[in-house]
């Protein structure tokens, strides 16, 4: 999927599915997920390692924004000198 809108819709569906309550040993458990994505359209030459790093940046930005969110990577996210992996 290279269309950002379609990718965002898919991410939102995943987040919604994961946030549904799960019955476990007589209790209802809830989980949440945050997602960060990127698309090959942002790169002149596709570099999987760079894409994973960029998606990771988007993930931690989405976690900082709150639970159950998705963010698409933007090149301006690279300007951040350090990714705070403790967020969320």
């Amino acid at each position: 999927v290279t269309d950002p809108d379609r990718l965002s819709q898919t991410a939102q569906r995943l987040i919604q599915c994961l946030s549904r309550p799960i019955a476990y040993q007589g209790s209802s458990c809830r989980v949440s997920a945050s997602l960060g994505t990127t698309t090959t359209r942002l790169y002149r030459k596709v570099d999987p390692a760079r894409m994973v790093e960029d998606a990771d940046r988007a993930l931690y930005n989405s976690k900082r924004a709150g639970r159950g969110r998705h963010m698409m990577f933007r090149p301006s996210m690279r300007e951040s000198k350090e990714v705070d992996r403790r967020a969320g």
Side-chain angles (χ1 to χ4, degrees), residues 26-75:
S27 295
S28 181
C29 299
R30 298 185 80 87
V31 297
S32 65
S34 295
L35 298 172
T37 56
T38 190
T39 179
T40 56
R41 288 182 175 183
L42 295 175
Y43 307 88
R44 272 188 240 154
K45 180 181 178 208
V46 176
D47 178 352
R50 179 94 183 242
M51 290 181 72
V52 168
E53 182 180 304
D54 290 345
D56 198 44
R57 287 180 192 275
L59 168 64
Y60 287 98
N61 275 281
S62 69
K63 285 183 174 191
R64 277 192 290 275
R67 291 182 174 202
R69 295 182 185 251
H70 166 252
M71 280 201 179
M72 177 71 77
F73 173 77
R74 294 180 313 275

Side-chain angles (χ1 to χ4, degrees), residues 3 6-7 11 19 22 30 39 43 54 58 67 86:
D3 177 47
R6 189 165 173 212
L7 192 56
S19 67
I22 301 166
R30 298 185 80 87
T39 179
Y43 307 88
D54 290 345
R67 291 182 174 202
R86 295 168 293 167

Side-chain angles (χ1 to χ4, degrees), residues 57 61 64 75-84:
R57 287 180 192 275
N61 275 281
R64 277 192 290 275
S76 62
M77 291 177 181
R78 276 193 208 114
E79 294 171 11
S80 170
K81 293 185 181 185
E82 184 176 324
V83 175
D84 185 356

Side-chain angles (χ1 to χ4, degrees), residues 1 4-16 35:
V1 178
D5 291 332
R6 189 165 173 212
L7 192 56
S8 289
Q9 291 169 358
T10 301
Q12 290 304 321
R13 283 197 313 269
L14 284 168
I15 290 168
Q16 287 174 353
L35 298 172

